[in-house]
Amino acid sequence: MTTLSTAFDARRQRQKKQFAKIVGATLWYIVLLALAFVFLLPFFWMLSTAFKDPGMVFAYPIQWIPQPFMWRNIIDAWTVIPFTTFLKNTAIITLLSMAFQTISSSVAAFGFARIPFKGRDVLFLLVLATMMLPQQVTMIPTFIIFAKIKWVDTFKPLIVPMLFGSPFYIFLLRQFFLTIPLDIEDAAFVDGCSRFRIWWNIFLPLSKPALATVLIFSFMAHWNDFFAPLIYLNSRSKLTLTLGLSLLRDAHSTQWHWMMSIAIAMLLPCLALFFIFQDYFVEGITMTGTKG
């Protein structure tokens, strides 16, 4: 009887623990769903506004489902401004900046992670220290330099500086490169590989999660950049989508329904890129910083 009673008590304790886990997990999911709903409210409002009649945008109480459903807002928004031209300009700046920034940052990160040289750690700290400088501090001197060499109102100030990498991306990639075993690099040296081939043929293929993280961050930064194009681009034919949105505002009114329609079009590539590379992105975030 004692054995049966002990077994029954142990089983009851396991059931209680399992029930507590289920209740705890359920509560966490409820909290997360509630927070997700709160964070998604602006997106729902943007989506609703994109298909509303202009007079119903700020109606109270909020009409979440447009009545009537104005599908033509999408077409009108893409024709009231040169959407195709702005999209092309944005794509050129974003794709070239992504490529240049990723390649240059990976080269610098490989040097800091794998090539021993005098003062390497001090130089790396100096690179990280540049992240502490706000953009507002360097904005005017940088603009003066680009104005002197007549790069204002061109894409060059937005693309060429990306050839020198980004301190944050250098840090991310360096931390990931440090997790790659030294034995792989030593074996490559024995086989006669140069440092360039080790970087290109070994480190880059093994660093897909970190590279995906850098690509996503870089895409988001350049695709949604408003400040830098506002400073350097003047001609209407060279504006980006973020600046194109500002054309829908004037001193007396804002075309919110058109602005939200274009904002949805701008959001779709960001969502697609994240969902395609989300596994690499999560792995890249968790792996960086595991080794100092």
Side-chain angles (χ1 to χ4, degrees):
M1 293 293 294
T2 305
T3 305
L4 290 175
S5 177
T6 303
F8 180 76
D9 291 340
R11 182 181 178 184
R12 188 167 56 182
Q13 290 295 330
R14 288 196 300 268
Q15 289 177 344
K16 286 183 178 180
K17 289 181 180 179
Q18 188 175 10
F19 178 75
K21 286 183 179 179
I22 294 173
V23 172
T26 303
L27 291 176
W28 271 115
Y29 280 119
I30 292 174
V31 172
L32 291 175
L33 286 173
L35 291 174
F37 178 76
V38 171
F39 283 109
L40 285 173
L41 274 179
F43 174 75
F44 292 148
W45 185 85
M46 178 180 69
L47 191 63
S48 174
T49 303
F51 298 100
K52 282 182 180 177
D53 182 85
M56 298 300 297
V57 171
F58 293 107
Y60 186 82
I62 298 176
Q63 192 176 39
W64 291 101
I65 301 177
Q67 296 292 339
F69 217 88
M70 304 292 291
W71 291 99
R72 186 164 182 82
N73 286 349
I74 300 292
I75 301 174
D76 293 341
W78 292 8
T79 55
V80 72
I81 63 172
F83 179 83
T84 305
T85 301
F86 294 167
L87 177 62
K88 181 187 70 174
N89 296 340
T90 306
I92 291 173
I93 294 171
T94 301
L95 295 178
L96 289 178
S97 298
M98 282 174 57
F100 292 160
Q101 204 165 40
T102 303
I103 292 174
S104 58
S105 297
S106 65
V107 171
F110 178 76
F112 284 124
R114 293 305 202 195
I115 302 177
F117 58 89
K118 188 176 181 180
R120 182 182 65 177
D121 294 338
V122 175
L123 184 60
F124 180 65
L125 289 176
L126 289 176
V127 171
L128 294 183
T130 60
M131 291 193 295
M132 301 178 188
L133 288 174
Q135 187 180 6
Q136 292 79 3
V137 174
T138 59
M139 176 181 63
I140 295 177
T142 305
F143 179 84
I144 293 174
I145 292 173
F146 289 138
K148 290 289 185 180
I149 59 179
K150 302 187 185 303
W151 278 12
V152 176
D153 201 24
T154 68
F155 294 160
K156 293 177 183 178
L158 306 175
I159 297 175
V160 174
M162 302 305 111
L163 288 169
F164 301 95
S166 165
F168 178 60
Y169 301 153
I170 292 172
F171 169 76
L172 283 179
L173 292 171
R174 173 189 176 269
Q175 297 304 105
F176 194 92
F177 288 164
L178 289 174
T179 64
I180 298 176
L182 285 170
D183 295 341
I184 298 177
E185 187 178 357
D186 293 338
F189 277 126
V190 171
D191 290 337
C193 289
S194 63
R195 290 199 182 274
F196 175 80
R197 287 201 61 188
I198 292 174
W199 165 73
W200 181 259
N201 294 111
I202 298 177
F203 275 71
L204 292 187
L206 292 175
S207 305
K208 290 179 182 178
L211 292 175
T213 303
V214 170
L215 286 173
I216 292 174
F217 281 152
S218 182
F219 179 87
M220 297 286 289
H222 297 293
W223 183 265
N224 297 313
D225 190 13
F226 176 81
F227 194 59
L230 178 66
I231 295 174
Y232 295 111
L233 301 179
N234 300 322
S235 302
R236 185 184 177 92
S237 61
K238 296 177 181 177
L239 299 184
T240 59
L241 284 173
T242 51
L243 294 180
L245 285 175
S246 64
L247 298 178
L248 299 174
R249 302 183 60 184
D250 55 36
H252 305 288
S253 63
T254 300
Q255 304 298 331
W256 289 105
H257 56 305
W258 290 342
M259 187 176 290
M260 295 301 107
S261 299
I262 297 176
I264 291 174
M266 292 183 62
L267 181 63
L268 292 178
C270 300
L271 292 177
L273 187 69
F274 175 77
F275 282 117
I276 291 172
F277 296 103
Q278 62 177 328
D279 292 337
Y280 286 127
F281 176 76
V282 173
E283 185 179 353
I285 289 294
T286 55
M287 287 295 292
T288 51
T290 58
K291 189 171 183 180

